[in-house]
Amino acid sequence: MIVRADIQFNGGLYKFVDAEDQSAQLALTKGEAWDMRSVALHELGHLLGLEHCEENDSVMRATVGPGRDHILHVLGVGDAERIRKIFTPRNLPTRNISVPFLRE
């Protein structure tokens, strides 16, 4: 059981922006900034017990870098399946468990 967890974002080494903020568009286009929500969702995945994977549509892909190519605000199908595996009691069928933020 997770009782307490902290995630720290290093704003001294990285520039975090909101991808939906118009003033951030140039920095994202140039690959000079990281989308804060994408990085936060990735780190929350680690908090939930997910590891890196090779799927391009996964928030848990190994490379979460700067720029537009790394913006993901929803879980990929594989992410949702791995979360279901971790948190679904063994006696419940996984198809009845819904995961918020799932890309459909």
Side-chain angles (χ1 to χ4, degrees), residues 9-19 21-40 64-68 70-71:
F9 296 91
N10 189 336
L13 291 178
Y14 303 98
K15 179 179 181 179
F16 295 107
V17 297
D18 179 356
D21 183 349
Q22 289 298 325
S23 65
Q25 299 310 307
L26 183 59
L28 285 168
T29 300
K30 289 182 173 183
E32 298 172 347
W34 281 255
D35 175 52
M36 182 65 163
R37 284 192 278 171
S38 298
V39 174
V64 176
R68 297 200 152 283
H70 298 275
I71 297 172

Side-chain angles (χ1 to χ4, degrees), residues 49-69:
L50 298 180
E51 297 180 11
H52 290 150
C53 70
E54 300 299 320
E55 299 162 11
N56 285 331
D57 71 336
S58 171
V59 298
M60 296 311 299
R61 62 186 175 193
T63 55
V64 176
R68 297 200 152 283
D69 294 339

